[in-house]
Amino acid sequence: MSAPSAHDVCVIGGGVTGAGIARDLSLRGLSVLLLEKGDWGAGTSGASTWMIHGGPRYLEFDWDTTRRSCEDAGHIVTIARHMVYRVAFIVPILPHDKNNIERMETAMEVYDRFQPLKKANPHVRLTAEEARQVEPGLTTELVGAVTLEEWGVDPHRLVYANVQDAVAHGARAMNHTRVIEMVRDGGKVIGVRYRSPDGALSEARAKVVVNAAGPWVPEICRMAGTEVQLRPAKGIHLVYPHRISNFGISAETVDGRDVLMVSHGGFTLLGTTDDDFYGDLDAVDVHEDEVDYLLQAFERVFPAIRDYRPVRTTTGVRPTLFKWRRYEDELSRRYQVIDHSHEGAEGFVTIAGGKLSMYRLMAEETSDAVCRKLGHQAPCTTATLPLPGSESELEPAAELARRYGVPALAAIKLQSRHGSRAGDVLDKAQAGRIVCRCEPLTESELAYAARNEQVRTLADAFRRVGLASGPCAGAACVMRAAEVIGQQLGWSASQRFDAVREFVRGAWLGRAPVLGHSGWAQEELAQGALRGLR
């Protein structure tokens, strides 16, 4: 084992909160080491509904979270302009719903008070005829509807933009790096031991260690001899490879919970469930009854939903603060910053709970706590300082496409990930070559991600640049992608085949629960194309 590296702060956890903390502390002039056991945003953050929202459902029992969430959503919209986009929702009202049209409009009038905080528009009340005119797929049993507006965002790119900016300001960030032990001096935590992607064991010393591991927070706490109790909640989404509806749509499940169908550009998410989870956080499966639970809820308001074929599922676990009783979806999304010095673990701080649309605020308050411990005085600037790619206005996508000879849709996708830096990603020599036409990804961007964005696997490329996220689910592009990435990372022919085999096996876990008759037919075709890899 080599000599320990030295840092002011070591942050454990590369989700959106951990990445936000690393960025905040780096901008304040501290030396930071950020460690993530998987890939950036591969856990709870990436399994979200891709929304920066205030949470109107929390108005019933947690106004403060709604207000704080809307305030921070406004900051995120400001600093991540190239990533965010408006999502208009329709909330359909059916006979015998727990909330009739009058009660729902009253709730929306209250929520309208918070909408200016996140630069969103107020609600509109619609008759049944008006609602079906703008959203023809809605049920004929509709009695009325209200609209509301939220913001969409690619959480994987949001996480990586924070990592990217942290590194630009001096942080060291390592993915696929698992912390296995705390280094202690008596009761004081003075660093961590971790295993690098190549299997090497290393040690890092830090004045403060921050536990931002999301649902894995209790596991990291045990390493430090402390305890934080969470109430983990599992959520799944169905993913459709196309846009199903004009609006996002809210529905009520058989047990009265609220679920959403949200179209994000070229795909649609339907979810999410919200159930207590007691299993292995590194092996969260999707069950067919969870899929049926979601479809049952939506066919009541959108009867044709079963005519559409999802291509995969996603699953994640929320790190909800512990509370006895209450349904999981009624639990507060509040968070808590914990200094464990009173438990005998000096130098160890935990951030637990919260939600994606408050990540920047959570990072700020955690960074404030770290700075107080270090006696370091520097203001937080993350509410106003743009993330990489949002520093300047975007050029017209058509102009970017014309200059580099790429399809206009590929240019639009590229700008949504890299913003004003999109031109830096494209190599004129290979920019026009497309890896997969159903999700227009250029070879140039994929090669750039492998060189500069810590892409180590094909699954990393899925998160970083949308590889295999289109209708083919990778059948038409993973072999070529392995060639492009392998050229950058020096993979041998066998390593490229191994990378494809690993991706195919991992993707199967998400597809199996939603393969109907036509789905099995496509799966058989895809397996034929990739024969010999299993």
Side-chain angles (χ1 to χ4, degrees):
M1 188 166 64
S2 59
S5 58
H7 312 270
D8 293 320
V9 187
C10 173
V11 181
I12 303 171
V16 70
T17 304
I21 293 168
R23 180 192 187 222
D24 193 326
L25 291 172
S26 298
L27 287 169
R28 299 194 200 201
L30 294 173
S31 62
V32 178
L33 173 66
L34 174 63
L35 302 176
E36 162 56 38
K37 70 182 184 64
D39 187 33
W40 309 118
T44 304
S45 300
S48 70
T49 316
W50 286 45
M51 299 281 290
I52 297 290
H53 65 100
R57 68 190 177 105
Y58 306 129
L59 286 173
E60 294 185 44
F61 52 86
D62 193 355
W63 278 47
D64 186 58
T65 291
T66 299
R67 178 186 59 79
R68 289 159 68 88
S69 183
C70 286
E71 286 179 345
D72 210 41
H75 293 313
I76 297 167
V77 167
T78 299
I79 65 174
R81 290 178 300 163
H82 72 283
M83 287 187 226
V84 299
Y85 46 90
R86 295 182 187 273
V87 179
F89 277 90
I90 279 184
V91 182
I93 310 299
L94 275 60
H96 314 300
D97 276 357
K98 63 179 179 180
N99 293 320
N100 60 28
I101 187 69
E102 300 299 337
R103 185 176 180 185
M104 182 56 69
E105 184 167 33
T106 299
M108 289 300 100
E109 287 172 350
V110 174
Y111 193 48
D112 284 348
R113 302 176 190 176
F114 300 99
Q115 289 287 50
L117 297 174
K118 57 185 177 69
K119 303 173 176 59
N121 293 307
H123 85 284
V124 175
R125 176 170 173 167
L126 302 174
T127 66
E129 292 74 22
E130 290 170 334
R132 284 182 51 78
Q133 182 178 3
V134 297
E135 191 57 78
L138 291 173
T139 176
T140 56
E141 296 181 15
L142 197 69
V143 298
V146 295
T147 70
L148 72 149
E149 188 176 77
E150 303 288 3
W151 291 92
V153 70
D154 179 343
H156 301 115
R157 288 307 305 189
L158 181 62
V159 173
Y160 189 73
N162 279 272
V163 173
Q164 182 182 3
D165 207 33
V167 171
H169 289 87
R172 183 183 177 201
M174 301 174 65
N175 59 348
H176 299 285
T177 302
R178 180 182 287 271
V179 172
I180 60 173
E181 186 181 0
M182 293 291 161
V183 180
R184 303 177 70 174
D185 182 5
K188 185 176 182 180
V189 175
I190 60 171
V192 299
R193 292 190 181 93
Y194 60 88
R195 196 168 296 283
S196 302
D198 61 3
L201 187 63
S202 301
E203 185 174 304
R205 298 293 175 89
K207 300 170 185 175
V208 178
V209 173
V210 176
N211 177 8
W216 291 269
V217 153
E219 177 184 330
I220 301 300
C221 281
R222 285 192 289 272
M223 293 183 187
T226 64
E227 182 181 5
V228 168
Q229 191 174 11
L230 298 179
R231 187 173 167 183
K234 173 187 173 183
I236 77 158
H237 290 91
L238 312 185
V239 184
Y240 296 82
H242 40 65
R243 191 178 187 95
I244 291 177
S245 56
N246 297 321
F247 285 73
I249 299 174
S250 172
E252 183 180 291
T253 63
V254 67
D255 54 356
R257 306 184 190 191
D258 294 322
V259 288
L260 303 173
M261 182 167 72
V262 191
S263 291
H264 294 282
F267 72 98
T268 299
L269 288 175
L270 192 157
T272 174
T273 58
D274 208 342
D275 299 301
D276 284 308
F277 183 73
Y278 300 95
D280 182 355
L281 293 171
D282 293 310
V284 187
D285 296 325
V286 176
H287 304 293
E288 290 186 15
D289 59 344
E290 294 173 308
V291 174
D292 287 336
Y293 173 81
L294 292 175
L295 292 175
Q296 178 195 47
F298 273 94
E299 66 182 346
R300 181 169 172 263
V301 299
F302 198 89
I305 187 61
R306 291 186 187 269
D307 295 339
Y308 298 90
R309 180 166 60 87
V311 288
R312 65 180 184 275
T313 61
T314 67
T315 183
V317 179
R318 301 175 190 85
T320 318
L321 296 177
F322 183 83
K323 189 176 182 66
W324 197 260
R325 296 196 178 102
R326 281 197 179 279
Y327 279 121
E328 298 85 352
D329 67 335
E330 293 181 351
L331 290 172
S332 170
R333 295 298 187 253
R334 294 192 179 196
Y335 58 89
Q336 187 175 6
V337 179
I338 306 165
D339 185 340
H340 295 278
S341 57
H342 67 283
E343 302 172 61
E346 179 59 49
F348 186 62
V349 173
T350 291
I351 172 68
K355 56 202 291 277
L356 186 142
S357 54
M358 290 193 295
Y359 92 87
R360 194 216 58 83
L361 179 61
M362 295 163 63
E364 178 181 347
E365 293 190 6
T366 306
S367 298
D368 287 344
V370 170
C371 287
R372 285 195 297 270
K373 292 184 72 65
L374 295 176
H376 183 80
Q377 295 186 350
C380 175
T381 58
T382 58
T384 56
L385 191 67
L387 285 165
S390 281
E391 303 95 336
S392 57
E393 295 294 329
L394 301 184
E395 68 174 307
E399 185 175 317
L400 179 70
R402 185 169 51 254
R403 188 164 73 252
Y404 287 96
V406 300
L409 184 55
I412 292 170
K413 293 272 190 178
L414 186 74
Q415 287 183 324
S416 74
R417 290 189 278 263
H418 301 277
S420 58
R421 302 185 180 192
D424 299 336
V425 174
L426 292 175
D427 179 342
K428 287 189 176 181
Q430 63 177 165
R433 295 202 293 267
I434 301 296
V435 176
C436 186
R437 296 194 178 278
C438 65
E439 178 62 28
L441 169 66
T442 66
E443 289 186 10
S444 182
E445 185 184 5
L446 183 58
Y448 179 89
R451 287 194 309 272
N452 301 298
E453 297 190 340
Q454 299 188 15
V455 166
R456 299 177 183 274
T457 69
L458 294 177
D460 292 353
F462 167 82
R463 286 179 286 271
R464 211 78 79 248
V465 295
L467 172 70
S469 60
C472 81
C477 55
V478 290
M479 289 294 294
R480 180 57 191 150
E483 290 290 321
V484 174
I485 295 173
Q487 288 172 7
Q488 300 298 321
L489 301 184
W491 289 349
S492 65
S494 62
Q495 285 175 314
R496 296 175 192 187
F497 277 107
D498 287 344
V500 175
R501 186 181 297 112
E502 180 185 2
F503 181 84
V504 169
R505 287 175 177 171
W508 163 254
L509 297 176
R511 287 203 304 275
V514 292
L515 290 177
H517 176 73
S518 58
W520 280 109
Q522 177 171 323
E523 188 67 21
E524 190 172 349
L525 178 65
Q527 291 305 314
L530 299 172
R531 183 172 296 167
L533 289 174
R534 283 183 175 270

